[in-house]
Amino acid sequence: MKLDQKEIARYLGRGAAALPPEVAAQAEACQKELAAAVTPRTIARRLPVDTFTGESRDLAHHLRHCREGFLYAVTLGPAADRLLRRWAAQSMAKAAVGQAVCAAWLDQLCADYCQSLLAQAGEGAYLTPPFSPGYGDWALSVQGRVLDLLEAPKRIGLTLTNGGMLVPEKSITAVVGISDREEESCGQKCMRCNKKDCPFRAGEARSED
């Protein structure tokens, strides 16, 4: 997988500024190490959207034109966590670049996985952008239930700490709605987020009805 360096720069808080050559080289080195060590894993389940929408007004609004959706999880696995610890021991600068590379890679994996889910959604279907626990008013405390519904601990080794953090660390859970409206489809999750002052924001928000 060839990562977009603009995405890595965004995760490093550089906005639209290009990566300096030495940082770009470090990012390339981190990506090669990840590619050699990591085995990503994915899992999804098709569910009625009312499985979760009663828990969050923001999520209910996000899925307002959908009856079903895919609940999914993607993880880079424990090897990514080990690499991050190794990089931190070597250099905090390398650790920061490695974190950004992992984040960009995980985003790309999720986008690719959602494309595969779209193929399962049926003719004339579109997928909304992903919505994860912790977005808006959807509490992070639902993660345990999400993992249970996916049987994620048994099937892909994804668990929670006592503090509610995902393990492995470089993992994502989310819901995408299945809609018959083309305008619901949007490949950039930031486009629907109202937090316009986010330093990691990508693109410009569009208005919604």
Side-chain angles (χ1 to χ4, degrees), residues 37-38 74 78 85 104 114 120 157 169 185 196 202-203:
V38 166
V74 175
R85 289 193 293 270
C114 285
Q120 302 174 34
E169 174 189 346
S185 179
K196 296 183 180 181

Side-chain angles (χ1 to χ4, degrees), residues 12-94:
L12 285 169
R14 295 184 58 84
L19 292 175
E22 65 276 13
V23 178
Q26 200 165 46
E28 184 72 22
C30 288
Q31 186 178 338
K32 287 180 179 178
E33 289 187 66
L34 279 168
V38 166
T39 303
R41 303 188 71 183
T42 60
I43 190 171
R45 182 177 175 185
R46 189 167 180 163
L47 293 166
V49 297
D50 60 9
T51 304
F52 291 110
T53 52
E55 301 173 354
S56 162
R57 287 184 298 177
D58 292 335
L59 179 59
H61 179 72
H62 187 77
L63 301 176
R64 64 196 181 282
H65 300 307
C66 307
R67 293 183 179 180
E68 291 184 298
F70 289 105
L71 178 67
Y72 71 85
V74 175
T75 180
L76 294 184
D81 289 4
R82 290 194 291 270
L83 275 175
L84 286 168
R85 289 193 293 270
R86 184 191 306 168
W87 293 336
Q90 293 171 351
S91 160
M92 291 310 296
K94 186 172 183 179

Side-chain angles (χ1 to χ4, degrees), residues 114-195:
C114 285
Q115 282 300 307
S116 73
L117 294 177
L118 178 59
Q120 302 174 34
E123 187 175 354
Y126 301 92
L127 297 184
T128 69
F131 199 105
S132 291
Y135 286 2
D137 65 353
W138 199 23
L140 274 172
S141 59
V142 305
Q143 288 281 33
R145 183 169 172 237
V146 166
L147 297 190
D148 287 345
L149 284 167
L150 292 172
E151 298 182 326
K154 177 175 68 176
R155 298 179 66 182
I156 62 171
L158 182 58
T159 61
L160 283 178
T161 66
N162 290 336
M165 302 299 293
L166 291 171
V167 178
E169 174 189 346
K170 292 306 174 185
S171 306
I172 289 176
T173 63
V175 172
V176 287
I178 302 170
S179 174
D180 60 358
R181 300 185 180 207
E182 186 175 4
E183 66 269 22
E184 288 289 288
S185 179
C186 174
Q188 176 49 256
K189 62 187 178 182
C190 292
M191 298 295 277
R192 284 192 167 197
C193 180
N194 290 324
K195 187 170 175 52

Side-chain angles (χ1 to χ4, degrees), residues 101-115:
V101 169
C102 285
W105 196 351
L106 192 54
D107 276 356
Q108 186 59 55
L109 285 169
C110 287
D112 292 345
Y113 189 48
C114 285
Q115 282 300 307

